[in-house]
Amino acid sequence: IVYTQGARQSAVVQHVSQDLKISLSYPRGWYVDDRYHSILLTDYKTNLNRDDKPAGSQIKIMLSNASLCQESLDQEVLLGGCGEGKNTKNQILDKNVKNLQSGAFIKYKIKYPIGQEDIWYYLQSPNRILQISKEPDPSQHEKEFEKIINSIKFIQ
């Protein structure tokens, strides 16, 4: 199955990802594509093999296991992951940590060396870290985004 649309009979749909070992709820009528150790959630029809950008009031949310190459999450954000920035260093403008049932939801506001600002999201349990992105950010779906993040549960 490339993608599925939420069932019509309930306000939210439960999804279990065998690859990411998480469960989550998303709004009825949205689409989920769960392949390649990633989950794509959208409120428009698309899939992971396409590079569709959300238009107007649409939203695109990606979840995947974080590929950590640095000693800490802060270092990961500062150095841009596995050394992509080489001798450059991002600046952390703000870091917000919210404790959820499943772990710590961490929102970094960063500034790249070229001056552009971005927001990076992570959900950290005691032994796993998910990397989360959304487009656009912020979006008209902030309430739905928060509900999805709050619904995530790590499974064994």
Side-chain angles (χ1 to χ4, degrees), residues 27-101:
R28 173 190 63 195
W30 283 33
Y31 297 86
V32 62
D33 186 357
D34 183 352
R35 295 181 287 155
Y36 316 126
H37 296 279
S38 296
I39 298 174
L40 170 66
L41 283 165
T42 61
D43 64 342
Y44 58 96
K45 192 173 181 178
T46 189
N47 64 58
L48 284 164
N49 293 335
R50 297 171 51 170
D51 191 24
D52 295 338
K53 301 291 183 198
S57 64
Q58 296 174 330
I59 187 169
K60 175 181 182 178
I61 301 169
M62 288 288 300
L63 298 101
S64 60
N65 285 318
S67 299
L68 303 176
C69 298
Q70 307 303 327
E71 293 178 23
S72 71
L73 196 50
D74 284 356
Q75 283 295 99
E76 190 77 18
V77 171
L78 286 170
L79 299 176
C82 299
E84 290 89 349
K86 302 283 185 226
N87 297 323
T88 62
K89 192 172 181 181
N90 298 325
Q91 179 183 359
I92 296 175
L93 301 176
D94 187 42
K95 178 182 176 183
N96 183 292
V97 180
K98 182 178 179 183
N99 290 316
L100 305 178
Q101 181 178 356

Side-chain angles (χ1 to χ4, degrees), residues 83-144:
E84 290 89 349
K86 302 283 185 226
N87 297 323
T88 62
K89 192 172 181 181
N90 298 325
Q91 179 183 359
I92 296 175
L93 301 176
D94 187 42
K95 178 182 176 183
N96 183 292
V97 180
K98 182 178 179 183
N99 290 316
L100 305 178
Q101 181 178 356
S102 59
F105 180 61
I106 306 162
K107 176 182 175 180
Y108 288 95
K109 182 176 182 182
I110 66 161
K111 185 174 185 178
Y112 297 111
I114 59 171
Q116 179 184 349
E117 294 181 6
D118 201 0
I119 298 183
W120 293 6
Y121 300 96
Y122 295 91
L123 183 60
Q124 183 174 20
S125 75
N127 54 5
R128 299 206 12 239
I129 301 176
L130 290 178
Q131 186 166 2
I132 303 164
S133 66
K134 67 177 165 151
E135 191 180 336
D137 194 8
S139 79
Q140 294 182 9
H141 295 285
E142 292 302 308
K143 188 169 80 171
E144 291 87 348

